[in-house]
Amino acid sequence: MISCPKCGADNPEGSRFCRECGATLPQTGLRCPMCGAVNITANVFCDRCGARLTPLSAAPADEHEEGETSPTRPSLRSLSLPTIPLEEGGPSPAAEPDWLSDLRSTMGEEKATTPSTPSPEEAEPTSVPDWLGGLLAPADEQPPPPPPPAPAAESDLPDWLRELRAGAPPPPAAPVPPTPPLEEVEIPDWLRDLQGTGRPAAPAEPAPPSGEAEVRAAPPKPSAPAEEAGVPDWLRELQETGEPTTPAGPSPFVFEGEVPDWLRGPETAAPAAAPTDIPDWLRQIETPSPPVPSAPPPAKEVTVPPWLTEMEAGLARMEAEARERPEPTPPVFTTEEPLGPIEPGEIPSWLLELRPKEEGLPAPPPAARPEREALAPAEIPEWMQALRPTPEAPPATEEPAEATGLLEGLRGTLPASPLAERIPRAVAKGAPVAASAASIARAELLQELLTRPTTPPRKAERPRPQVGWSLQHAFIGLLLLAAVILPMFGISLPDQPAPQAVVGPAAEASQVFDQIEATVGAGTSVLVAFEYDPGEADEMDRVAEPVLHHLLQRGAQVTIVSTRPEGTTLANRLLADLEATGLITTAQRTAQVANLGYWPGQTLGVRDALDSPAATSAALVVVLAGQQGDLQAWVEQMAARSPSRPLLAGISARSEPVARPYLRAGTPLRGMVTGLTGAAAYEARLGSSSGRVVLYLRSLTLTQGVVAALMIVGAVVFLLRGRSR
Amino acid sequence: MERLTKQILPMIIAIAAAVLTLTGYLTPYQELTVLMVRWAAIVAAFALLLGFLNVLQVHFLRLAGRKQGFGARLNSLALLLAALVSLLVTGAGLLVNLDLLRRLSDWWFGFVLLPLQAGAAALVAFALALAAFRLVRGRRNLWVLPFLASALVVLVGTAPMPEPLAVPLTHLRAWWVETLALPGMRGLLIGVGLGTLVMGVRILIGMDRPHSDV
C-alpha cells in the first residue's frame, strides 16, 4: 500500500494518484532499466517489456533439486557473483581441471553416503555460497522477509552455484566458529532485507580454519531451521555435531597479496588444513614455508579475477575436508609475483559496501605522489603588460535560446555576438610604437569613409526624347508615306519617257532584251532562278515580270528553280499574276513552264541545279536575285561550269554596285535589269506592260526626290545649327 | 572522350570532306566531288529542318520561362502560332492535292507572309531616309560631303527626270558608280575572296574549327 503524502490515505500498489485527494503518489515500485516503466516490487520481469527487473542471484525454490519451497526462505536479489560461463548441464571434461573433477567425484560419493532427507532449510542454503552464509547469520534477529519474487530459471544460476548444488551435501567438517555480527554500516541493502527474516542472533563462535574466501562467509553454527537458509548442508551438519573446532594451525593455502587485508580480517590466523585433495598442479606449486604470522602486514589491494574467486570457493571446501587430516606443516601457497594494486574501478560496488571501516584495520597508505617542481613565473615584458586586457569584462549576458533548427531549445550553443566583439579591449598603457602622422591621416580618412552615409547608386536615367526629335520622325514618316501613296491617286511628277541612254540601267536592260531576242526562240530551254524572298518581292516581281513575259512570248521552255524556300512560291504567284493580267495564257503557263522547286544548300544548290538535266540543256540562264550574294553564287558557278553559256540577271537596285563588276569582267553575265528603272526600260523595249511598273516607278521617283530633299534640308539645317552654337 | 567527340572527330570529318571535294576539282575524277556535293545538299536540308526546330524550341522555352518579359513572351507566342499555322497550311497544301488547301496556302503567303516582310523592308527605307536627314548632325567633317554627294547623285540619277536633266544626270550617275563606286566594290570583293580562301585553308588544316564548339 502506498500512503498518500497529503491526506495519508492508503492506495493500492502501483497507484499514481491518491484515490482520496488526487495527489500524486510517490512511485515506490521498481523502474524497468530497459523501458522505464514502474512495476510493483514483487515483479521480477517488467510488465511492459518483459525485461528482468532484478539481477540473477539464486535458484528459485520450485526448481530446486528437492522441489520444495520455503515461504521464509530469504531471497538474494541483489547479488550476482562473477562466474565463468559454462555449458548447460555442467562443465565439459576438457575445460574442467583435474582437481575439480576429483572434488566433484569425492562430493558425489559423499552425497551417496549422506542421508537423503533434506529439510527445506537444507535445500535452500545450496543456492547461497558458504562464505555468504556467514553474512546471513547475523541477520537472524530480523523479521522474516517478504516472500521472494518469481523464481529464476535454472539457467540463470551462476555456474559455481550450480556446481555447488550438484555436489550437494558437503562432507562433515570441523565446527564453524561463530562470526561476530557485522555492523549496520557494513551490511548492504539486500543483506538488510535478509535480516528482516527475524532470525535470532546466533552466538558468536570463532571462525573456522578455512580459506581466505570463507572468512566472512562462515555461517553461524547454532541456528534454527529458518535461520539456516543460507547455510549449506555440510555446514549445518557440522553445526549439529557441536564439536569444538580446534585451530589446526595456519591455513594451508595462503595467497599472499591476493586478498585485501580488510577481507582477511581477524581470521588470518586460521589453522591450515592438509591439502589431501589438492590437484597435482596445485601440489606442485606448493612450497614449504613458515606459517603465516597472525598479524600480517598490510596487504596490497589486488584484483580477484572470477576464476580465482571460484577457485577460492573450491579450495575452501577442500580446506574444510582437510581439517580432518591435519598436517603438521602445511605448505604456504605463495605467489611468486605480487599482483598490482586494485584500481578503484575494478572493485564492484557491492564489495565496496562490504569494506569494513574498523579503526583497527590498517588503511592502505595513500600513494605517495612525486612532488613536482613548481613552475617559475614567467617574466612578462612591459610591452606585453601594456597589451594585457583590463579586468573590466563585459557583463555576461544570457545567451538566447535557439528558436528553430536542430539546436532548438538549446541555449548558448551559438554566440549571440561575434567573437571579435567579445575580446576585451586593451587599454593603451603606453603603446609600443607611436602612430605616425600618415597613419593617423589614413585612419581619419577611413573613419570618415565609414561614417559617411551610404547613398544608393543612381539609376541611369534614360534621356527623354526631345520634342524636335519626335517631330523629325513624324515629319519624315509622313513625307515618305505621302510619296508612296500620292501616285496611286494620280498625284505625281510628270511621266518622262525612258531615256535612250547608252549607259545606266536603261542601257543594261536593253542588253538583256537583245540577248533574249538573239538566243531564245520557240522551244529554247531557259533556266530561270527565283532568288528573292517576299520582302523583296515588291521590287523583284516588277523586275521579273517583263523578263518572264518576254521569254514566254518568245516560246521558250522555262524551267524554274530556286535555292530559297519561298522562291518557287513567288514564281507561281508571278505566273498567276501574268496570267491574270493577260500577259500570258494558261496554255503558255502549263506548256512552257516547269517548276523544279527548291534546291537546298545555297551555293551547293546552285551547283546542283546547274548540273541537273534541265539546266544542262538550257541555252540561257536567267537569275532574278534580290541580294548580291545570290547573283554572285550564280555567276561564279556558271563561270566554273559553263563559261560560254550566257547569263542574264534581274537584280534589285541595291545590288547594282556589286553586280556591275561582274558585268564588266568578262563573266557569263551578259546583261542585267536593275530595279524599277531597268524594268521600266525593259517594258519600253518590250512594248507591252501591265502598268504596275510605271505605277511603282512613279512612287519611287517621288520617294527618291523626297529623300534627296530631306538630305539637303537636313544638311543645311544641322550645319547652320552647329555654326550658331 | 569529350575532346574526341567534340573537337577531333568533327575536325577529321571536315578536313576529309574538304580534301575529297577539292580532289574532284584538281583531278579528272569528279564523281567523288559530285557525291560529296550531294551529301552536302542533304546535310543542308537537314540543317534547315534542325534550324526550324531550334527556332521553335528557343521560343517555346522563352514562352515557358519566367525570365522574359511580357512583350518578349508575346512575341514568342506569335512566332510559334505563325510557324505552326504556316506549317500546317503549307504542308497540307503540298501533301494533299486539294484546291482549297492550295488556295489557303496562297492566301496565307500573299496576305500574311509577304506583307509582313515587305513592311519590314519598308522600315529599312524609312530608317535610311532618317539617317540621310541627320547625316550632318552626327558627323560634321569633310568626309560627310562625298557620302552626301554619292547618295544624291544615285538617287537623282536613277529617277526619271525631265529631258533636259535626264541625260546629264544619267551620265553623271554612271560615271559616279563605275569610276568611284566600282573600284571600291571590287576591292571589297577581292578582300572577301581572299578572306574566304584563307578561311578555307585554315579550316582545311584544322586551325579554325567553326564546326565544333570547343
Side-chain angles (χ1 to χ4, degrees):
Chain A
M1 301 297 285
I2 303 174
S3 179
C4 177
K6 186 175 182 181
C7 63
D10 292 333
N11 295 273
E13 195 74 19
S15 300
R16 298 180 60 189
F17 301 98
C18 178
R19 57 186 177 183
E20 292 294 333
C21 63
T24 302
L25 298 177
Q27 299 297 317
T28 58
L30 297 175
R31 184 173 295 278
C32 177
M34 300 301 292
C35 64
V38 178
N39 297 268
I40 60 176
T41 55
N43 279 12
V44 177
F45 297 96
C46 178
D47 292 335
R48 180 183 296 178
C49 63
R52 175 173 284 278
L53 300 176
T54 60
L56 300 175
S57 59
D62 54 353
E63 293 182 1
H64 200 265
E65 288 178 347
E66 288 74 17
E68 299 179 4
T69 59
S70 174
T72 59
R73 181 181 66 85
S75 61
L76 302 177
R77 296 184 304 176
S78 302
L79 179 63
S80 177
L81 293 178
T83 60
I84 298 175
L86 295 175
E87 296 179 0
E88 193 70 22
S92 61
E96 189 177 55
D98 299 335
W99 62 272
L100 199 56
S101 302
D102 297 339
L103 176 61
R104 189 186 304 276
S105 60
T106 304
M107 295 177 69
E109 294 172 0
E110 293 176 358
K111 179 182 178 182
T113 58
T114 304
S116 58
T117 56
S119 62
E121 294 76 12
E122 294 172 351
E124 296 296 334
T126 57
S127 60
V128 181
D130 43 6
W131 61 273
L132 204 60
L135 297 177
L136 296 176
D140 291 339
E141 298 178 358
Q142 302 300 327
E154 180 71 17
S155 60
D156 294 336
L157 288 176
D159 297 330
W160 62 276
L161 281 178
R162 195 180 301 118
E163 292 174 2
L164 286 178
R165 192 167 57 187
V176 179
T179 304
L182 299 175
E183 295 183 9
E184 284 295 324
V185 294
E186 299 176 355
I187 302 175
D189 296 338
W190 60 275
L191 280 180
R192 197 171 291 114
D193 296 339
L194 294 178
Q195 289 176 353
T197 55
R199 287 178 289 187
E205 290 187 10
S210 59
E212 297 293 336
E214 291 184 347
V215 170
R216 292 191 176 275
K221 181 181 177 183
S223 61
E227 301 167 357
E228 298 176 0
V231 180
D233 299 339
W234 57 273
L235 201 57
R236 192 181 305 111
E237 291 175 5
L238 289 178
Q239 293 172 353
E240 289 174 359
T241 56
E243 295 177 1
T245 57
T246 55
S251 174
F253 306 105
V254 178
F255 296 88
E256 291 185 2
E258 287 188 1
V259 180
D261 47 359
W262 60 270
L263 275 179
R264 190 172 299 157
E267 294 80 10
T268 52
T276 56
D277 295 337
I278 298 175
D280 299 338
W281 62 275
L282 276 179
R283 193 173 290 115
Q284 292 175 359
I285 62 175
E286 288 177 350
T287 56
S289 61
V292 178
S294 58
K300 293 180 290 185
E301 294 183 357
V302 296
T303 58
V304 182
W307 63 270
L308 196 56
T309 305
E310 185 179 357
M311 188 178 68
E312 286 177 3
L315 290 175
R317 289 190 297 273
M318 289 186 293
E319 185 181 5
E321 296 172 0
R323 292 192 191 104
E324 297 178 353
R325 298 179 293 272
E327 291 289 334
T329 55
V332 178
F333 188 78
T334 59
T335 57
E336 296 180 1
E337 295 180 3
L339 300 178
I342 298 177
E343 297 295 334
E346 296 179 352
I347 303 176
S349 58
W350 60 271
L351 205 54
L352 290 175
E353 293 176 355
L354 294 177
R355 182 191 294 267
K357 296 182 179 179
E358 283 82 3
E359 297 295 333
L361 294 178
R369 295 182 177 179
E371 294 184 358
R372 294 182 178 178
E373 201 170 309
L375 294 176
E379 294 181 358
I380 303 177
E382 293 181 357
W383 62 272
M384 190 175 288
Q385 289 284 0
L387 297 177
R388 173 177 293 180
T390 59
E392 298 176 358
T397 57
E398 186 178 4
E399 297 290 345
E402 297 296 327
T404 59
L406 298 175
L407 303 178
E408 182 179 359
L410 300 180
R411 189 181 299 276
T413 53
L414 295 176
S417 60
L419 295 177
E421 297 180 0
R422 297 188 174 186
I423 300 176
R425 301 292 180 87
V427 177
K429 296 180 178 179
V433 178
S436 63
S439 300
I440 294 174
R442 285 194 293 268
E444 290 177 355
L445 178 59
L446 178 60
Q447 182 67 23
E448 180 185 357
L449 292 176
L450 293 177
T451 56
R452 181 180 298 176
T454 58
T455 56
R458 294 181 180 178
K459 293 183 178 179
E461 295 181 356
R462 181 177 297 179
R464 288 185 175 183
Q466 299 177 358
V467 179
W469 179 260
S470 301
L471 288 177
Q472 290 176 17
H473 280 76
F475 179 69
I476 293 173
L478 288 175
L479 280 180
L480 294 178
L481 187 62
V484 172
I485 295 177
L486 286 179
M488 298 181 183
F489 297 96
I491 302 173
S492 64
L493 298 175
D495 293 339
Q496 301 296 331
Q500 299 296 327
V502 295
V503 293
E508 294 161 356
S510 298
Q511 294 175 1
V512 172
F513 183 85
D514 296 338
Q515 185 68 38
I516 291 177
E517 288 288 334
T519 308
V520 177
T524 304
S525 179
V526 178
L527 182 67
V528 179
F530 280 75
E531 302 289 352
Y532 57 91
D533 55 19
E536 302 158 347
D538 285 335
E539 183 184 10
M540 290 305 301
D541 280 350
R542 305 291 77 82
V543 173
E545 181 180 322
V547 176
L548 194 59
H549 176 208
H550 190 200
L551 290 174
L552 294 177
Q553 191 179 30
R554 298 285 296 175
Q557 294 293 327
V558 177
T559 302
I560 297 174
V561 296
S562 177
T563 59
R564 291 173 176 254
E566 310 93 343
T568 54
T569 305
L570 290 173
N572 290 333
R573 284 179 56 83
L574 181 60
L575 290 173
D577 285 344
L578 293 177
E579 184 181 354
T581 55
L583 294 178
I584 61 173
T585 61
T586 305
Q588 287 180 324
R589 182 184 176 188
T590 55
Q592 299 179 16
V593 177
N595 194 340
L596 296 183
Y598 168 61
W599 295 73
Q602 295 182 353
T603 306
L604 293 175
V606 172
R607 176 189 174 86
D608 209 9
L610 287 175
D611 291 339
S612 63
T616 53
S617 61
L620 182 67
V621 177
V622 178
V623 177
L624 303 173
Q627 298 180 6
Q628 57 186 10
D630 299 322
L631 178 63
Q632 183 177 349
W634 278 95
V635 170
E636 292 173 355
Q637 293 299 321
M638 284 285 292
R641 307 193 68 80
S642 55
S644 60
R645 189 163 46 181
L647 174 65
L648 302 177
I651 59 175
S652 61
R654 64 172 179 172
S655 301
E656 181 190 0
V658 181
R660 193 170 295 278
Y662 292 104
L663 187 62
R664 304 296 175 87
T667 60
L669 184 62
R670 307 296 169 80
M672 58 186 184
V673 180
T674 305
L676 292 176
T677 306
Y682 200 97
E683 281 188 347
R685 291 290 305 273
L686 188 60
S688 63
S689 169
S690 62
R692 294 178 183 174
V693 175
V694 176
L695 184 61
Y696 276 65
L697 188 59
R698 290 174 182 170
S699 298
L700 177 64
T701 302
L702 189 58
T703 305
Q704 287 177 339
V706 169
V707 172
L710 285 175
M711 291 180 67
I712 295 172
V713 172
V716 172
V717 168
F718 288 111
L719 281 175
L720 296 177
R721 188 179 177 182
R723 183 173 297 177
S724 64
R725 285 183 177 177
Chain B
M1 187 65 184
E2 183 179 3
R3 186 169 182 266
L4 176 65
T5 57
K6 290 188 175 181
Q7 186 175 0
I8 298 177
L9 195 59
M11 184 176 63
I12 292 174
I13 294 175
I15 293 175
V19 169
L20 292 177
T21 306
L22 288 176
T23 303
Y25 284 108
L26 301 177
T27 61
Y29 308 101
Q30 296 189 357
E31 290 78 9
L32 191 59
T33 300
V34 173
L35 178 63
M36 296 300 297
V37 170
R38 292 187 183 278
W39 283 5
I42 295 173
V43 171
F46 276 101
L48 178 65
L49 181 61
L50 288 177
F52 176 73
L53 295 178
N54 186 34
V55 170
L56 293 183
Q57 180 188 11
V58 169
H59 286 275
F60 181 78
L61 293 178
R62 287 180 61 183
L63 184 64
R66 300 285 183 183
K67 294 181 180 179
Q68 303 294 332
F70 175 75
R73 297 173 67 186
L74 184 62
N75 184 21
S76 297
L77 177 62
L79 186 142
L80 289 175
L81 290 177
L84 291 177
V85 171
S86 300
L87 184 65
L88 291 177
V89 170
T90 56
L94 293 175
L95 295 177
V96 182
N97 190 14
L98 291 178
D99 186 63
L100 177 62
L101 290 177
R102 192 180 304 109
R103 288 184 180 181
L104 184 61
S105 175
D106 293 340
W107 179 87
W108 181 266
F109 183 85
F111 292 93
V112 177
L113 185 61
L114 198 148
L116 286 176
Q117 293 200 17
L123 288 178
V124 176
F126 173 76
L128 290 175
L130 185 63
F133 177 73
R134 300 167 59 85
L135 180 63
V136 182
R137 180 180 181 271
R139 183 174 299 172
R140 198 170 299 162
N141 50 31
L142 292 177
W143 293 106
V144 174
L145 294 178
F147 191 88
L148 186 61
S150 298
L152 286 175
V153 167
V154 172
L155 283 174
V156 174
T158 304
M161 289 293 168
E163 188 60 34
L165 298 176
V167 175
L169 288 176
T170 302
H171 283 271
L172 177 63
R173 178 187 179 276
W175 178 84
W176 197 281
V177 170
E178 294 183 3
T179 306
L180 298 179
L182 188 59
M185 187 57 65
R186 281 183 172 177
L188 289 177
L189 290 176
I190 292 174
V192 170
L194 292 175
T196 304
L197 179 62
V198 172
M199 190 67 180
V201 173
R202 290 172 64 88
I203 293 174
L204 191 62
I205 63 177
M207 292 181 65
D208 282 344
R209 294 180 293 272
H211 39 72
S212 63
D213 53 353
V214 289

